[in-house]
Amino acid sequence: MSAVAIPGDPPGGRRALAVWGTGVSVYFVAVIFRTSLGVAGLDAADRFHVNASALSTFSILQLLVYAGMQIPVGLLVDRLGTKKVLALGAVLFTAGQLGFAFSPTYGMALASRALLGCGDALTFISVLRLGSRWFPARRGPLVAQFAGLVGMAGNLVSTLVLARLLHGIGWTAAFAGSAAAGAVVLVLVLLFLKDHPEGHEPEPLPHQGAAYVRRQIAASWREPGTRLGLWVHFTTQFPAMVFLLLWGLPFLVEAQGLSRAVAGELLTLVVLSNMVVGLVYGQIVARHHGARLPLALGTVGTTAALWAATLAYPGPRAPMWLLIVLCTVLGACGPASMIGFDFARPANPPERQGTASGITNMGGFVASMTTLFAIGVLLDATGDDYSLAFSVVFVLQAVGVSQILRLRGQAARRERERLVASRVETVHVPV
């Protein structure tokens, strides 16, 4: 079905690509910093003399800050625009990475990760808003998947480059040196980023205080598409996030007996798979909106099946071919989570896009935070029984799927109503 032209749609083009590229470079660096602990988890445990539960607290606190800030960030983006929010994000996550490099104690390192999470939280919603301001609405799914792809490229840099620096030049030099990238993207934002094309300025919003905040959140939440987007994001993102952010390397090294080098290659496979699948999912969703839910649920089902096969394998360790398949399938989790935004985006008008995206983006990070904590506690309680600890994945998937099935009918009806209304408006637009 051909996309309906929307009056006043941004033109896109090279200028849009250049501005969007500047914004997405901030997200790229934020992901490098966010996932840097994933390749340094065992080193962090040795450096700060902590157990599995305390180690998981690093990522839990970072994600707690991230998830808790998503709605405020959405409101900030709707109110202040992308440039100011991205610049602030770059300042905060750079300071957090520097602090982590020089932290002599566990407590100071925790505070640094919290600051990093605060800056990281300001980036992705801003990039989504930037894309919706500079590109036509029909390009929304593809632009969002490309943003996710760039983020995974940041994960790849963390896995390949930062891991080698860490074991080559040491903890402080590796983390402090990487912080220079944050200063670079801050300069790029201040010099080149613009919130919207000329002639496409949003309507000025008068300051309305707490009442405005309550209305934005309530109106976004009332839309079934926003809630469905949140639960799609919740159910699809967290298996790969948990694996890449913290527990993948220990699972592969300690439970599966692999070397760090081989485990790093499997983590890289997750990232590469994510980048390839993201391109495919973006093209499919842009052309066939009806494929959104089948893609999301299919990814959840396949992920659950592969985790079950890996954890229940009768031998002492899963065979390499099964781990390769598992890591390849985990690569689809990130692109599937982006489908959540394709339910929330058309459900809300432009002035609520940031708020709705913030609500949606909370889903996967709440699930990831819960799973990170549960795995750490279960590992300590069971003497590092990874099979039992990772079983928590199935519990959260079951909760998420039940909510998706509950909301899908309501969201589909509302979307059909909006589509009919937009066609009527398009017919009456003078040419």
Side-chain angles (χ1 to χ4, degrees), residues 192-251:
F192 302 114
L193 194 134
K194 190 176 180 183
D195 285 340
H196 46 73
E198 292 183 7
H200 291 269
E201 294 82 358
E203 291 290 330
L205 294 173
H207 180 68
Q208 297 169 303
Y212 163 78
V213 171
R214 288 194 297 270
R215 281 197 297 271
Q216 285 285 92
I217 296 173
S220 298
W221 184 254
R222 277 196 299 269
E223 290 291 343
T226 304
R227 285 175 278 138
L228 179 59
L230 179 146
W231 285 108
V232 167
H233 201 270
F234 177 101
T235 314
T236 52
Q237 187 203 47
F238 79 92
M241 175 69 73
V242 167
F243 197 79
L244 290 171
L245 198 60
L246 184 60
W247 290 122
L249 188 69
F251 170 75

Side-chain angles (χ1 to χ4, degrees), residues 55 65 134-135 150 205 309 314-315 321-322 355:
L55 181 61
V65 172
W134 280 89
F135 293 96
V150 172
L205 294 173
W321 68 263
L322 183 55
T355 306

